[in-house]
Amino acid sequence: MRTASPRTIALWTVVALVGAAGWTVLALSRGENVSAAWMVAAALGTYAIAYRFYSKFIAHRVLKVDATRATPAERLDNGMDFHPTDRRVLLGHHFAAIAGAGPLVGPVLAAQMGYLPGTIWIIVGVILAGAVQDMVVLFFSTRRDGRSLGQMAREEIGPFGGAAALIAAFAIMIILLGVLALVVVNALAASPWGTFSIAMTIPIALFMGFYLRVLRPGRVSEVSLIGVALLLFALVAGRWVAESSWADTFTLKPSTLVVWLVAYGFVASVLPVWMLLAPRDYLSTFMKLGTIALLAIGVVVTLPTLKMDAVTGFASRGDGPVFAGSLFPFVFITIACGALSGFHALISSGTTPKMIQKETQVRMIGYGSMLMESSVAVMALIAASIIDPGLYFAMNAPAGVIGDTVQSASQAVANLGYSISPDDLAQAAKNVEESTLLSRTGGAPTLAVGVSEIFSKVTGDGLRSFWYHFAIMFEALFILTALDAGTRVGRFMLQDMLGNVIKPFKNVSWKPGLLITSAVVVGLWGYFLWVGVHEPLGGINQLFPIFGISNQLLAAVALAVCTTLLVKSGRLKWAWITGIPLVWDATVTLTASWQKVFSSDPRVGFFQQRSNYQDAIDAGKVLPPAKNMDDMHTVVTNSTVDGVLSAVLALLIVVVIVDATRVCIKHVRNPDSSRLSEAPYVESGLTAPAGLIPTRREKEELRDAGVGSASRG
């Protein structure tokens, strides 16, 4: 065992002290000004320690990743779904695929509880739960020919629990994709800048795909420079288009955007993965991480103060205007993706295991990508916490609470315990060239205001509006990459399910199967999106309230499968690594599900809300947000559907956990009774580094294999 050098020890000691200093200031400061830079310090210090030590321990001591074992990408390479992909491109694809709406808007909404609870969950949750889940699922899926999460559950837990997992995972996936698409539509509906820039990423990605596949194979650095240059040009040109006569051409109606999104989702699902999906996700990662890095630098340079309370009164009372419910369990449900996300497990058992070159790369791609997403969530929480709390609540409280004038909003905010004048509310909107910022709910506009606050302190107040609209466009690009990858993963899940009955579907690259299942998946989420765009209380809007809970229920399925596989593969003493996060996630999410179904508070409980609206209908009254009796009946229907779905999904997850527990106990009692569905060992003929930067030994191996120049390029 190699002994660490004094220099290495000193370096990691400094990193640990930086992180500890950040946590100390955040935890102990009360009633005094706290710089957001301390949140950045706490996050970066913790991430570095966790990646260097904890993720390495799991990868090499627990999972025992094997560089000599051929991955599905190498063994089953067909140029369609299975394709060995350069680790840098795959890291970009995986990060772009998992980083959707959750890490951007969830922390913004959770800021209602104060900045401290969200910060703790985002950082501690990711290093102990979210990143662990992503890496372990990726490892076990890679060992099983890239099987989907539901199919792994069926093969390893059994037909009963597996069937529950398959149904729950696919249903939740459709809900998640519909919500992601709705956020994209809302962001692009009035943004010719965003529409043009995002549209241009498609031909740029196609060019990059052919460049790496045909023109200059392996020259990743070259194509990266070209792609980034073209992307920056597209962003600048988008601003020109928005101010030109072409603006009307790229100002699309929501219904038109739905059609284009459905068409794009289908095409991205059926084209070879190297042609569009992987290079486009890789390209967008430069913008995503570049923007987040610049935000972090901006925070360190300008040292903005956290104006939101560390913990607000809403955390204990549960009567917040942004969302109802107490800190436990709802702050963990609201933040979702920034700390732990079931959606990630679908990507880790979807596209990525079919493209990864070496098992040794699961640490960088699985654990590392999730840390990157968590950093996005931290920056989103900072953006929400540095703006005036009065403005925050005026933007995120519904119109039924604050009214529709700056005067009524100012008074309503004062009733909540905060203050902001009508003139300040009007000026805030004027600063970003918006007619109003009142009740701009959903989190995205608040994030954009926070981003403009940080960047304008660096570049000058005159660019505040530019940065606001840039952030809106950035959020749409951020989310769209999760939509296209998610559609392909949904196709894999449906193929796995149908393959249990119709054998040709087992081959995920079988042309008729991939065309049929892609059409079904985009048709399902496209239907809910279409209805949601045309009916404010219908379609995906009907399912939006269960987005966070369903995502975290899916994480419970993933952690249950991981724990079962750790036990069955002879790693019982390490089962706590996923077992403890499973217990926590199940406790939080099932508690939230129970409250959402049975709470007597109509703002929380679906059935109580249904009862209240039905009573109002019987009395001939109209309650907000309904505007007429038809809306009242729609709310009753929505509350009923959401309550039933929440109960059914929770029940399915309980079935999975109970059946997984049965399998684990059975294995412990009689190990010979268990059977693993792991693919046979095949020796790898590929040589590739485990991390972004090859070690000295890896450079020698690349040189000996004659691929050193390609790897460096």
Side-chain angles (χ1 to χ4, degrees), residues 286-348:
F286 284 99
M287 180 180 173
K288 292 182 177 184
L289 290 183
T291 302
I292 296 302
L294 288 175
L295 276 172
I297 294 171
V299 168
V300 173
V301 170
T302 62
L303 301 177
T305 299
L306 295 170
K307 297 178 181 177
M308 185 65 73
D309 298 331
V311 182
T312 68
F314 303 122
S316 57
R317 298 197 306 269
D319 59 351
V322 181
F323 61 92
S326 56
L327 188 152
F328 180 87
F330 289 106
V331 75
F332 308 102
I333 300 299
T334 303
I335 289 178
C337 301
L340 172 66
S341 171
F343 178 76
H344 296 187
L346 302 182
I347 303 298
S348 291

Side-chain angles (χ1 to χ4, degrees), residues 130-146:
V132 173
Q133 171 207 255
D134 293 12
M135 176 171 65
V136 177
V137 169
L138 176 57
F139 171 79
F140 281 125
S141 180
T142 300
R143 284 279 175 101
R144 286 157 179 77
D145 291 341

